[in-house]
Amino acid sequence: MAEETKKVAEETTPEVVFSDVTVRETPQPEPEKLPESPEKPDAPATGESKVEDEKEKDLVAESNSFKEESNKVDELRNPEQKALAEFKQLIQEALNKHEFTSPPPPPSPSAKEEDEKKTAVTAASEAPEAEPVTEAAPDPVTEKTVETKELEKTEEKVTPPGNEETPAAAPPSETAEEKVEAVEEIKETIVEVPAAIAVAAAEEPPAMEVEEPKTECTPPPPEEVFIWGIPLLADERSDVMLLKFLRARDFKVKEAFTMLKSVVAWRKEFKIDELLDEKELGQGLEKVVYNHGVDKGGHPVCYNAFGEFQDRELYHTTFADKEKLTKFLRWRIQFMEKSIRNLDFSPDGICTFVQVIDLKNSPGLYLFKKELRQATNRALQLLQDNYPEFVAKQVFINVPWWYPAYYRMINATFSTRTKSKFVFAGPSRSAETLFKYIAPEQVPTQYGGLSKDGEQEFTTAEPATEEIIKPASKHSIEFPVTEKCTLDWEARVTGWDVSYGAEFVPSAEGGYTILIEKSRKVGANETMISTTYKAGEPGKVVITFDNQSSKKKKLVYRSKNKLSDC
């Protein structure tokens, strides 16, 4: 009974796409007395919530196993090298035959048309032969041949030597000499006819003989096909691109070749080259999908925050009708194409992204509005089908309390390769999880990092320091000042809920400590602490964080002295 119920649920629930795969959504059972968030400080510490918290940790741990493969051909395993060579051979043959750009074959005739043709052929074969409408002219050669045979028969009746009898059929008015002359005259006429026919036949073919050399023209050169600005067969960059298709199909050459041809056809149909130059796409969507910084391996990081569509005006202008929905899809593909053009497809280069999916303010995947669900599913389906192996890591942050259970239910639908790229983190561990893959100075401030828009004192080239603030303890950091100068520093604590203060302690004995910032409570609405202090003498700046909560906190900070302002 349980299996039948599960089957019915799978047939009636919509599908949800996560990056490289499409999964079927399963309705969730009503949670029994679960806290709103297992990580919420005031949530009851029930045994059930602790189990869920531990399972979420296990999800993060088991997802952190993917290692990006090498794109150097000589470092591939032998079966992979053979698959690449076979793949390139198939592509070369297709380029020689112009299979990528040739028009599609005409549609096959319907069954009804086939039956009509068969009926017509059968009727024609059973019908009696029709007599020709016009009579052919008598063949002079045939008539003369008949006359010749009659004369030969007459000659046979002539008495052979030694016989004195006279043939009864011989007319008395003709002599033997006249008959012989007539026969010779007819024979000469018969011989002349085939000669004339041969001359006429010899005069007809010259036109065909002249045309034959024209049909033996040289074959056209192989066609040139480009994807993401890279030719299919050219150099090492082409090999890197082709490896994406092979890995997407587990190095099954024929399946990879089918996928490649499908991608080329889709790009032509979607008019990708024209799309790159299309203007006025994605207005107002700058905070929905955007690139920001790189991870610790140098991969560009793309952030996806579909919670921005809670803005009703933005939602309406994006999904109000079919035309706007199409425009949204074209913008998403244009964004992807432009991002790919900035990648380095050399064997040692970077040719993949890190995707960060922010699930904040998502009431549940099955509760998304219909237009948004259809648009995102369609966009992700296009990315899955036509942009293989462009994701190095997929990090889900601000994961709601219900998601770990949901993931366990759909876990079997993902391939091992896809699951190895997934990382999940709840709201209180999102920043900490991001810092495992992305340096804090590269992470936007809204996600716990130090990178902010607009003018700032620090750049991404100036690294930050990470430390842990223990529960129910104070944590102090000292910035030395060796001479008169201006000191800049910035810091933030994941989850905040701490007190912060700063003071300057001079090096000279008997000097007075100067209060820079009085200790104050830092709330969740404050993204980052950024302070400047101009020191008039050598000493040190001491900043102090007081963590009175029962959880450890992640602290990131950096500082620098501006000697030019001394």
Coordinates of all heavy atoms in Angstrom, one line a residue, residues 349-415:
G349 N 44.0 26.0 -17.6 CA 43.2 27.1 -17.3 C 41.9 26.8 -16.5 O 41.7 25.6 -16.1
I350 N 41.1 27.8 -16.2 CA 39.8 27.6 -15.5 C 38.7 27.7 -16.5 O 38.5 28.6 -17.2 CB 39.7 28.8 -14.5 CG1 40.8 28.8 -13.5 CG2 38.3 28.6 -13.7 CD1 40.9 27.5 -12.6
C351 N 37.9 26.6 -16.5 CA 36.8 26.5 -17.5 C 35.5 26.0 -16.8 O 34.6 25.4 -17.5 CB 37.1 25.7 -18.7 SG 37.6 24.0 -18.3
T352 N 35.4 26.3 -15.5 CA 34.2 25.9 -14.8 C 33.8 27.0 -13.8 O 34.7 27.8 -13.5 CB 34.3 24.6 -14.0 OG1 35.5 24.6 -13.2 CG2 34.4 23.4 -15.0
F353 N 32.6 26.9 -13.2 CA 32.1 27.9 -12.3 C 31.9 27.2 -10.9 O 31.7 26.0 -10.9 CB 30.8 28.6 -12.7 CG 30.9 29.3 -14.0 CD1 30.5 28.6 -15.2 CD2 31.3 30.6 -14.1 CE1 30.6 29.3 -16.4 CE2 31.4 31.3 -15.3 CZ 31.0 30.6 -16.5
V354 N 31.7 28.1 -9.9 CA 31.2 27.6 -8.6 C 29.8 28.3 -8.5 O 29.7 29.5 -8.6 CB 32.1 28.0 -7.4 CG1 31.3 27.8 -6.1 CG2 33.4 27.2 -7.4
Q355 N 28.8 27.5 -8.3 CA 27.4 28.0 -8.2 C 27.0 28.1 -6.7 O 27.1 27.1 -6.0 CB 26.4 27.2 -9.0 CG 26.6 27.2 -10.5 CD 25.9 28.4 -11.1 OE1 25.1 29.1 -10.5 NE2 26.1 28.6 -12.4
V356 N 26.5 29.2 -6.3 CA 26.0 29.4 -5.0 C 24.5 29.6 -5.1 O 24.1 30.6 -5.7 CB 26.7 30.6 -4.2 CG1 26.0 30.8 -2.8 CG2 28.2 30.3 -4.1
I357 N 23.7 28.7 -4.5 CA 22.2 28.8 -4.6 C 21.7 29.3 -3.2 O 21.8 28.5 -2.2 CB 21.6 27.5 -5.0 CG1 22.3 26.9 -6.2 CG2 20.1 27.7 -5.2 CD1 22.2 27.7 -7.4
D358 N 21.2 30.5 -3.2 CA 20.7 31.0 -1.9 C 19.2 30.7 -1.8 O 18.3 31.2 -2.6 CB 20.9 32.5 -1.9 CG 20.4 33.2 -0.6 OD1 20.1 32.4 0.4 OD2 20.3 34.4 -0.5
L359 N 18.8 29.9 -0.8 CA 17.5 29.4 -0.6 C 16.8 30.3 0.5 O 15.7 29.9 1.0 CB 17.4 28.0 -0.2 CG 17.9 27.0 -1.2 CD1 17.8 25.6 -0.6 CD2 17.1 27.1 -2.5
K360 N 17.3 31.4 0.8 CA 16.7 32.3 1.8 C 15.4 32.8 1.2 O 15.2 33.1 0.1 CB 17.6 33.5 2.1 CG 17.1 34.4 3.2 CD 18.1 35.5 3.5 CE 17.7 36.4 4.6 NZ 18.6 37.5 4.9
N361 N 14.4 32.9 2.2 CA 13.0 33.4 1.8 C 12.3 32.5 0.8 O 11.4 32.9 0.2 CB 13.1 34.8 1.2 CG 13.6 35.8 2.2 OD1 13.4 35.7 3.4 ND2 14.4 36.8 1.7
S362 N 12.8 31.2 0.7 CA 12.0 30.3 -0.1 C 11.1 29.5 0.8 O 11.5 28.7 1.6 CB 13.0 29.3 -0.8 OG 13.8 28.6 0.1
P363 N 9.8 29.6 0.6 CA 8.8 28.9 1.4 C 8.7 27.4 1.2 O 8.1 26.7 1.9 CB 7.5 29.6 1.1 CG 7.7 30.0 -0.4 CD 9.2 30.4 -0.5
G364 N 9.4 27.0 0.2 CA 9.3 25.5 -0.1 C 9.3 25.4 -1.6 O 8.5 26.2 -2.3
L365 N 10.0 24.5 -2.2 CA 10.1 24.4 -3.7 C 8.8 24.2 -4.3 O 8.4 24.6 -5.4 CB 11.1 23.4 -4.1 CG 12.6 23.6 -3.6 CD1 13.4 22.5 -4.0 CD2 13.1 24.9 -4.3
Y366 N 7.9 23.4 -3.6 CA 6.6 23.1 -4.2 C 5.6 24.2 -3.9 O 4.5 24.1 -4.4 CB 6.1 21.8 -3.6 CG 6.1 21.7 -2.1 CD1 5.1 22.2 -1.3 CD2 7.2 21.1 -1.4 CE1 5.1 22.1 0.1 CE2 7.2 21.1 0.0 CZ 6.2 21.6 0.7 OH 6.2 21.5 2.1
L367 N 6.0 25.2 -3.2 CA 5.1 26.4 -3.0 C 5.5 27.6 -3.9 O 4.9 28.6 -3.8 CB 5.2 26.8 -1.5 CG 4.7 25.7 -0.5 CD1 4.8 26.3 0.9 CD2 3.2 25.3 -0.8
F368 N 6.5 27.4 -4.7 CA 6.9 28.5 -5.6 C 5.7 28.9 -6.5 O 4.9 28.0 -6.9 CB 8.1 28.2 -6.5 CG 9.4 28.4 -5.8 CD1 10.6 27.7 -6.2 CD2 9.5 29.2 -4.7 CE1 11.8 27.9 -5.6 CE2 10.8 29.4 -4.0 CZ 11.9 28.7 -4.5
K369 N 5.7 30.1 -6.9 CA 4.6 30.5 -7.8 C 4.8 29.8 -9.2 O 6.0 29.5 -9.6 CB 4.7 32.0 -8.0 CG 4.2 32.8 -6.8 CD 4.2 34.3 -7.0 CE 3.7 35.0 -5.8 NZ 3.7 36.5 -6.0
K370 N 3.7 29.5 -9.8 CA 3.8 28.7 -11.0 C 4.7 29.3 -12.1 O 5.5 28.6 -12.7 CB 2.4 28.6 -11.6 CG 2.3 27.8 -12.9 CD 0.8 27.8 -13.4 CE 0.8 27.1 -14.8 NZ -0.6 27.1 -15.3
E371 N 4.6 30.6 -12.3 CA 5.4 31.3 -13.4 C 6.9 31.2 -13.1 O 7.8 30.9 -13.9 CB 5.0 32.7 -13.6 CG 3.6 32.9 -14.1 CD 2.6 32.9 -12.9 OE1 3.0 32.7 -11.8 OE2 1.4 33.1 -13.2
L372 N 7.3 31.4 -11.8 CA 8.7 31.3 -11.4 C 9.2 29.9 -11.5 O 10.3 29.7 -12.0 CB 8.8 31.8 -10.0 CG 10.2 31.7 -9.3 CD1 11.2 32.5 -10.2 CD2 10.2 32.2 -7.9
R373 N 8.4 28.9 -11.1 CA 8.8 27.6 -11.1 C 9.1 27.1 -12.6 O 10.1 26.5 -12.9 CB 7.8 26.7 -10.5 CG 8.2 25.2 -10.4 CD 7.2 24.3 -9.6 NE 6.0 24.2 -10.4 CZ 4.8 24.8 -9.9 NH1 4.8 25.5 -8.8 NH2 3.7 24.6 -10.6
Q374 N 8.1 27.5 -13.5 CA 8.3 27.1 -14.9 C 9.5 27.8 -15.5 O 10.2 27.2 -16.3 CB 7.0 27.5 -15.6 CG 5.8 26.6 -15.3 CD 4.5 27.1 -16.0 OE1 4.5 28.2 -16.6 NE2 3.5 26.2 -16.0
A375 N 9.7 29.1 -15.2 CA 10.8 29.8 -15.8 C 12.1 29.3 -15.3 O 13.0 29.0 -16.1 CB 10.7 31.3 -15.4
T376 N 12.3 29.1 -14.0 CA 13.6 28.5 -13.5 C 13.8 27.1 -14.0 O 15.0 26.8 -14.3 CB 13.6 28.6 -12.0 OG1 12.4 27.9 -11.5 CG2 13.6 30.0 -11.5
N377 N 12.8 26.3 -14.0 CA 13.0 24.9 -14.5 C 13.4 24.9 -16.0 O 14.2 24.1 -16.4 CB 11.7 24.1 -14.3 CG 11.5 23.7 -12.9 OD1 12.3 24.0 -12.0 ND2 10.4 23.0 -12.6
R378 N 12.7 25.8 -16.7 CA 13.0 25.8 -18.2 C 14.5 26.3 -18.4 O 15.2 25.8 -19.2 CB 12.0 26.8 -18.9 CG 12.3 27.0 -20.4 CD 12.3 25.7 -21.1 NE 12.5 25.9 -22.5 CZ 12.9 25.0 -23.4 NH1 13.2 23.7 -22.9 NH2 13.1 25.2 -24.6
A379 N 14.8 27.4 -17.7 CA 16.2 27.9 -17.8 C 17.3 26.9 -17.4 O 18.3 26.7 -18.1 CB 16.4 29.2 -16.9
L380 N 17.0 26.2 -16.3 CA 18.0 25.2 -15.8 C 18.0 24.0 -16.7 O 19.1 23.4 -16.9 CB 17.7 24.8 -14.4 CG 17.9 25.9 -13.3 CD1 17.4 25.4 -12.0 CD2 19.3 26.3 -13.2
Q381 N 16.9 23.7 -17.4 CA 16.9 22.6 -18.3 C 17.7 22.9 -19.5 O 18.5 22.1 -20.1 CB 15.4 22.3 -18.7 CG 15.3 21.0 -19.6 CD 15.6 19.8 -18.8 OE1 15.1 19.6 -17.7 NE2 16.5 18.9 -19.3
L382 N 17.6 24.2 -20.0 CA 18.4 24.6 -21.2 C 19.9 24.6 -20.8 O 20.8 24.2 -21.6 CB 18.0 26.0 -21.6 CG 16.7 26.1 -22.3 CD1 16.4 27.6 -22.5 CD2 16.6 25.4 -23.6
L383 N 20.3 25.0 -19.6 CA 21.6 25.0 -19.1 C 22.2 23.5 -19.0 O 23.3 23.2 -19.4 CB 21.8 25.7 -17.8 CG 21.4 27.2 -17.8 CD1 21.6 27.7 -16.4 CD2 22.4 28.0 -18.7
Q384 N 21.3 22.7 -18.6 CA 21.7 21.3 -18.4 C 22.0 20.6 -19.7 O 22.9 19.9 -19.9 CB 20.6 20.5 -17.6 CG 20.9 19.0 -17.6 CD 19.7 18.3 -17.0 OE1 18.8 18.9 -16.5 NE2 19.6 17.0 -17.2
D385 N 21.1 20.9 -20.7 CA 21.2 20.2 -22.0 C 22.3 20.7 -22.9 O 22.8 20.0 -23.7 CB 19.8 20.3 -22.7 CG 18.7 19.5 -22.0 OD1 19.1 18.6 -21.2 OD2 17.6 19.8 -22.3
N386 N 22.6 22.0 -22.7 CA 23.5 22.7 -23.7 C 24.8 23.2 -23.1 O 25.6 23.8 -23.9 CB 22.7 23.8 -24.4 CG 21.4 23.3 -25.1 OD1 21.5 22.7 -26.2 ND2 20.3 23.6 -24.5
Y387 N 25.0 23.1 -21.9 CA 26.2 23.6 -21.2 C 26.7 22.5 -20.3 O 26.7 22.7 -19.0 CB 25.9 24.9 -20.5 CG 25.5 26.0 -21.4 CD1 24.1 26.2 -21.7 CD2 26.4 26.9 -22.0 CE1 23.7 27.2 -22.5 CE2 25.9 27.8 -22.9 CZ 24.6 28.0 -23.1 OH 24.2 29.0 -24.0
P388 N 27.3 21.5 -20.8 CA 27.7 20.3 -20.0 C 29.0 20.6 -19.2 O 29.9 21.3 -19.7 CB 28.0 19.2 -21.0 CG 28.4 19.9 -22.2 CD 27.6 21.2 -22.3
E389 N 29.0 20.1 -18.0 CA 30.2 20.2 -17.1 C 30.8 21.5 -16.9 O 32.0 21.7 -17.1 CB 31.2 19.2 -17.6 CG 30.8 17.7 -17.6 CD 30.5 17.3 -16.1 OE1 31.3 17.5 -15.2 OE2 29.5 16.6 -15.9
F390 N 30.0 22.5 -16.6 CA 30.5 23.9 -16.3 C 30.4 24.2 -14.8 O 30.7 25.3 -14.5 CB 29.7 24.9 -17.1 CG 30.2 25.1 -18.5 CD1 29.6 24.5 -19.6 CD2 31.4 25.9 -18.7 CE1 30.1 24.7 -20.9 CE2 31.9 26.1 -20.0 CZ 31.3 25.5 -21.1
V391 N 29.9 23.3 -14.0 CA 29.8 23.5 -12.6 C 30.9 22.7 -11.9 O 30.9 21.4 -12.0 CB 28.4 23.1 -12.1 CG1 28.3 23.3 -10.6 CG2 27.4 24.0 -12.8
A392 N 31.8 23.4 -11.2 CA 32.8 22.7 -10.4 C 32.3 22.3 -9.0 O 32.6 21.3 -8.4 CB 34.0 23.5 -10.3
K393 N 31.4 23.2 -8.4 CA 30.9 23.0 -7.1 C 29.5 23.7 -7.0 O 29.4 24.8 -7.6 CB 31.8 23.5 -6.0 CG 31.4 23.2 -4.6 CD 31.5 21.7 -4.3 CE 32.9 21.3 -4.2 NZ 33.0 19.8 -3.8
Q394 N 28.6 23.1 -6.4 CA 27.2 23.7 -6.2 C 26.9 23.8 -4.7 O 26.7 22.8 -4.0 CB 26.2 22.8 -6.9 CG 24.8 23.4 -6.9 CD 24.4 23.9 -8.3 OE1 25.2 24.4 -9.0 NE2 23.1 23.6 -8.6
V395 N 26.9 25.0 -4.2 CA 26.8 25.2 -2.7 C 25.4 25.8 -2.5 O 25.1 26.9 -2.9 CB 27.9 26.2 -2.2 CG1 27.8 26.3 -0.7 CG2 29.3 25.7 -2.6
F396 N 24.6 25.1 -1.7 CA 23.3 25.6 -1.3 C 23.4 26.2 0.1 O 23.8 25.5 1.0 CB 22.3 24.4 -1.3 CG 21.9 23.8 -2.6 CD1 22.8 22.9 -3.2 CD2 20.8 24.2 -3.3 CE1 22.5 22.4 -4.5 CE2 20.5 23.7 -4.6 CZ 21.4 22.8 -5.1
I397 N 23.1 27.4 0.2 CA 23.2 28.1 1.5 C 21.8 28.6 2.0 O 20.8 28.6 1.2 CB 24.1 29.3 1.4 CG1 23.6 30.4 0.4 CG2 25.5 28.9 1.1 CD1 24.4 31.6 0.4
N398 N 21.7 28.9 3.3 CA 20.5 29.3 3.9 C 19.4 28.2 3.7 O 18.2 28.5 3.4 CB 20.0 30.7 3.4 CG 20.9 31.8 3.8 OD1 21.3 31.8 5.0 ND2 21.2 32.7 2.9
V399 N 19.8 27.0 3.7 CA 18.9 25.9 3.5 C 17.9 25.8 4.6 O 18.2 25.8 5.8 CB 19.7 24.6 3.4 CG1 18.7 23.4 3.3 CG2 20.7 24.6 2.3
P400 N 16.6 25.8 4.3 CA 15.5 25.8 5.3 C 15.5 24.5 6.1 O 16.1 23.5 5.7 CB 14.3 26.0 4.5 CG 14.6 25.6 3.1 CD 16.0 25.9 2.9
W401 N 14.8 24.5 7.2 CA 14.8 23.3 8.1 C 14.3 22.0 7.4 O 14.7 20.9 7.8 CB 14.0 23.6 9.4 CG 12.5 23.9 9.1 CD1 11.9 25.1 8.8 CD2 11.5 22.9 9.0 NE1 10.6 24.9 8.6 CE2 10.3 23.6 8.7 CE3 11.4 21.5 9.1 CZ2 9.1 22.9 8.5 CZ3 10.2 20.8 9.0 CH2 9.1 21.6 8.7
W402 N 13.4 22.2 6.4 CA 12.8 21.0 5.8 C 13.6 20.4 4.8 O 13.4 19.3 4.3 CB 11.4 21.4 5.2 CG 11.4 22.6 4.3 CD1 11.1 23.9 4.7 CD2 11.8 22.6 3.0 NE1 11.3 24.7 3.6 CE2 11.7 23.9 2.5 CE3 12.2 21.6 2.0 CZ2 12.0 24.3 1.2 CZ3 12.5 22.0 0.7 CH2 12.4 23.4 0.3
Y403 N 14.7 21.1 4.3 CA 15.4 20.6 3.1 C 16.2 19.3 3.4 O 16.2 18.5 2.5 CB 16.3 21.7 2.6 CG 16.8 21.4 1.2 CD1 16.0 21.8 0.1 CD2 18.0 20.7 0.9 CE1 16.4 21.6 -1.2 CE2 18.3 20.5 -0.4 CZ 17.6 20.9 -1.4 OH 17.9 20.6 -2.7
P404 N 16.9 19.1 4.5 CA 17.6 17.8 4.7 C 16.7 16.6 4.5 O 17.1 15.6 3.8 CB 18.2 17.9 6.1 CG 18.3 19.4 6.3 CD 17.1 20.0 5.6
A405 N 15.5 16.6 5.0 CA 14.6 15.5 4.8 C 14.2 15.3 3.4 O 14.1 14.2 2.9 CB 13.4 15.6 5.7
Y406 N 14.0 16.5 2.7 CA 13.6 16.4 1.3 C 14.7 15.9 0.5 O 14.5 15.0 -0.4 CB 13.3 17.9 0.9 CG 12.9 18.0 -0.6 CD1 11.7 17.6 -1.1 CD2 13.9 18.5 -1.5 CE1 11.4 17.7 -2.5 CE2 13.6 18.6 -2.8 CZ 12.4 18.2 -3.3 OH 12.1 18.3 -4.7
Y407 N 16.0 16.3 0.8 CA 17.1 15.8 0.0 C 17.3 14.3 0.2 O 17.6 13.6 -0.8 CB 18.4 16.5 0.5 CG 19.6 16.0 -0.2 CD1 19.9 16.3 -1.5 CD2 20.5 15.1 0.4 CE1 21.0 15.8 -2.2 CE2 21.6 14.6 -0.2 CZ 21.9 15.0 -1.5 OH 23.0 14.5 -2.1
R408 N 17.0 13.8 1.4 CA 17.2 12.3 1.6 C 16.2 11.5 0.7 O 16.5 10.4 0.3 CB 17.0 12.0 3.0 CG 18.2 12.4 3.9 CD 18.1 11.7 5.3 NE 17.0 12.1 6.0 CZ 16.9 13.2 6.8 NH1 18.0 14.0 6.8 NH2 15.8 13.5 7.4
M409 N 15.0 12.1 0.5 CA 14.0 11.5 -0.3 C 14.4 11.4 -1.8 O 14.0 10.5 -2.5 CB 12.7 12.1 -0.1 CG 12.1 12.0 1.3 SD 10.5 12.7 1.5 CE 9.5 11.7 0.5
I410 N 15.0 12.5 -2.3 CA 15.4 12.6 -3.7 C 16.8 12.2 -4.0 O 17.3 12.2 -5.1 CB 15.1 14.0 -4.3 CG1 16.0 15.0 -3.6 CG2 13.6 14.4 -4.0 CD1 15.9 16.4 -4.2
N411 N 17.5 11.8 -3.0 CA 19.0 11.5 -3.1 C 19.2 10.5 -4.2 O 20.2 10.6 -5.0 CB 19.5 11.1 -1.8 CG 21.0 10.8 -1.8 OD1 21.8 11.7 -2.3 ND2 21.5 9.7 -1.3
A412 N 18.4 9.4 -4.3 CA 18.6 8.4 -5.2 C 18.5 8.8 -6.7 O 18.9 8.1 -7.6 CB 17.7 7.2 -4.9
T413 N 17.8 9.9 -6.9 CA 17.6 10.4 -8.3 C 18.8 11.0 -8.9 O 18.9 11.3 -10.1 CB 16.4 11.4 -8.4 OG1 16.8 12.5 -7.6 CG2 15.2 10.7 -7.8
F414 N 19.8 11.4 -8.1 CA 21.0 12.0 -8.6 C 22.1 11.0 -8.9 O 22.2 10.0 -8.2 CB 21.5 13.0 -7.6 CG 20.6 14.2 -7.3 CD1 20.1 14.3 -6.0 CD2 20.2 15.1 -8.2 CE1 19.2 15.3 -5.7 CE2 19.4 16.1 -7.9 CZ 18.8 16.2 -6.7
S415 N 22.9 11.3 -9.9 CA 24.1 10.5 -10.2 C 25.1 10.7 -9.1 O 25.2 11.8 -8.5 CB 24.6 10.8 -11.6 OG 25.2 12.1 -11.6

